[in-house]
Amino acid sequence: MSDTSSDASTPTTPTTPTTPATPAVVLDVWCELQCPDCRDALADLRALRERYGDRLELRLRHFPLDKHRHAFAAAQAAEEAAEQGRGWAYVEAVLERVEELDRTGEPFLVQVAGELGLDADEFDTALIDGRHILIVDADQAEGRAIGVTSTPTYVIGGERLDGGTSQEGLRERVEEIADRLLAEAG
């Protein structure tokens, strides 16, 4: 998702030619929307957004796992939500109901879009025509290339942090790296 750090409901700061549009620190979040561990990481991601605001860009990177049969479709749906301006809201809504996605599949993805006021018919069409497949495939290939094997995995400042085995201490480690990078950026 190219711009998942802010949704239409989140205020953004207008940029001028002298104000860089890119935040000082980027946190890539390799995630899978059918993953209970990714759901458990939501509280940490919300806390990071709260603490850093627009100084930290959270970028969703897709890494659907073979063991979850609806994960690839969910990644495509997340891209459609981002295109419609509600990327993170959609991601959070789906992750909070992982079990329902597991039971219901693609109809659930379209249902969530409707619940968020998105164009559910366009979601259905996007899932059928596969317009976001290349983005998901590229994320997954890049993840494999850098050693991602489970979700969630975070990459910040060139350091990969694996949250697939435990979330214990990860937010603190991300904060430590982010604080250092922000200090270096001045």
Side-chain angles (χ1 to χ4, degrees):
M1 233 186 298
S2 58
D3 181 22
T4 57
S5 61
S6 63
D7 290 329
S9 61
T10 305
T12 58
T13 306
T15 58
T16 63
T18 59
T19 306
T22 306
V25 178
V26 174
L27 173 63
D28 284 326
V29 181
W30 298 87
C31 182
E32 194 235 68
L33 298 186
Q34 200 174 346
C35 172
D37 292 330
C38 291
R39 176 191 51 210
D40 295 344
L42 276 177
D44 286 343
L45 295 176
R46 288 176 180 139
L48 290 167
R49 280 201 314 250
E50 178 72 25
R51 176 174 175 173
Y52 293 102
D54 62 1
R55 296 177 302 145
L56 177 71
E57 178 185 0
L58 295 175
R59 289 192 315 198
L60 178 70
R61 305 302 301 272
H62 303 290
F63 201 77
L65 301 169
D66 291 337
K67 67 182 178 179
H68 294 133
R69 66 183 176 169
H70 305 298
F72 196 83
Q76 292 176 73
E79 283 301 318
E80 182 60 29
E83 194 167 287
Q84 292 188 31
R86 300 288 312 274
W88 273 112
Y90 185 82
V91 165
E92 289 183 14
V94 171
L95 280 173
E96 288 171 347
R97 296 159 60 187
V98 166
E99 292 81 7
E100 198 169 343
L101 172 58
D102 191 45
R103 281 191 314 274
T104 310
E106 290 184 24
F108 170 74
L109 298 170
V110 175
Q111 173 191 330
V112 170
E115 290 170 2
L116 292 174
L118 298 169
D119 184 340
D121 290 336
E122 196 61 29
F123 262 77
D124 194 38
T125 301
L127 290 172
I128 291 168
D129 70 19
R131 67 182 75 157
H132 302 294
I133 287 175
L134 292 177
I135 294 169
V136 176
D137 282 345
D139 275 1
Q140 195 167 38
E142 185 179 339
R144 282 190 186 109
I146 65 168
V148 174
T149 58
S150 63
T151 58
T153 295
Y154 309 100
V155 176
I156 183 170
E159 188 169 340
R160 190 182 73 236
L161 307 169
D162 182 8
T165 52
S166 171
Q167 292 294 302
E168 185 76 28
L170 279 181
R171 186 175 89 208
E172 292 80 10
R173 183 69 183 126
V174 168
E175 289 172 347
E176 181 181 298
I177 295 168
D179 289 344
R180 186 192 75 225
L181 293 172
L182 287 168
E184 290 171 1

